[in-house]
C-alpha cells in the first residue's frame, strides 16, 4: 500500500469513469525515480486498471507537495 498523506483523484471522463487525473503524495516515493513511483501506483491499482482507459498522475513526496500544492 502507498499510504498517501494526500490523495486527489479527478474523473476527467465526462461520466464514463475511464479517465482520471491523480495527485498522490507518499513518503514511499522518497528516493525513488519518477518512473518507479508510477510503477508502484500501477502495481497497486493492477485490478482497477482493467476498467480505466487513462490515468495521469503526479507522484510526489511530502516535501515536493509542500512546494507544489495550491496556496
Amino acid at each position: 500500500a502507498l499510504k498517501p498523506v494526500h490523495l486527489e483523484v479527478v474523473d476527467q471522463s465526462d461520466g464514463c469513469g475511464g479517465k482520471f487525473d491523480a495527485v498522490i503524495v507518499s513518503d514511499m516515493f522518497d528516493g525513488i525515480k519518477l518512473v518507479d513511483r508510477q510503477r508502484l501506483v500501477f502495481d497497486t491499482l493492477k485490478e482497477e486498471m482493467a476498467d480505466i482507459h487513462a490515468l495521469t498522475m503526479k507522484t510526489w513526496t511530502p516535501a515536493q507537495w509542500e512546494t507544489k500544492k495550491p496556496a
Side-chain angles (χ1 to χ4, degrees):
L2 297 173
K3 299 180 183 175
V5 296
H6 179 82
L7 176 64
E8 292 177 35
V9 180
V10 178
D11 184 344
Q12 298 289 344
S13 58
D14 294 326
C16 76
K19 182 179 177 187
F20 298 92
D21 289 339
V23 175
I24 307 160
V25 181
S26 175
D27 289 315
M28 292 186 68
F29 296 146
D30 194 37
I32 297 176
K33 291 187 278 183
L34 179 61
V35 67
D36 293 329
R37 294 175 185 188
Q38 293 175 344
R39 283 186 186 132
L40 277 172
V41 173
F42 282 126
D43 287 347
T44 301
L45 298 175
K46 189 175 186 177
E47 291 180 27
E48 290 82 0
M49 289 306 297
D51 297 321
I52 296 174
H53 172 71
L55 174 64
T56 59
M57 66 183 104
K58 305 279 193 282
T59 52
W60 293 326
T61 65
Q64 290 171 316
W65 172 241
E66 285 301 316
T67 66
K68 298 175 186 292
K69 69 181 177 182

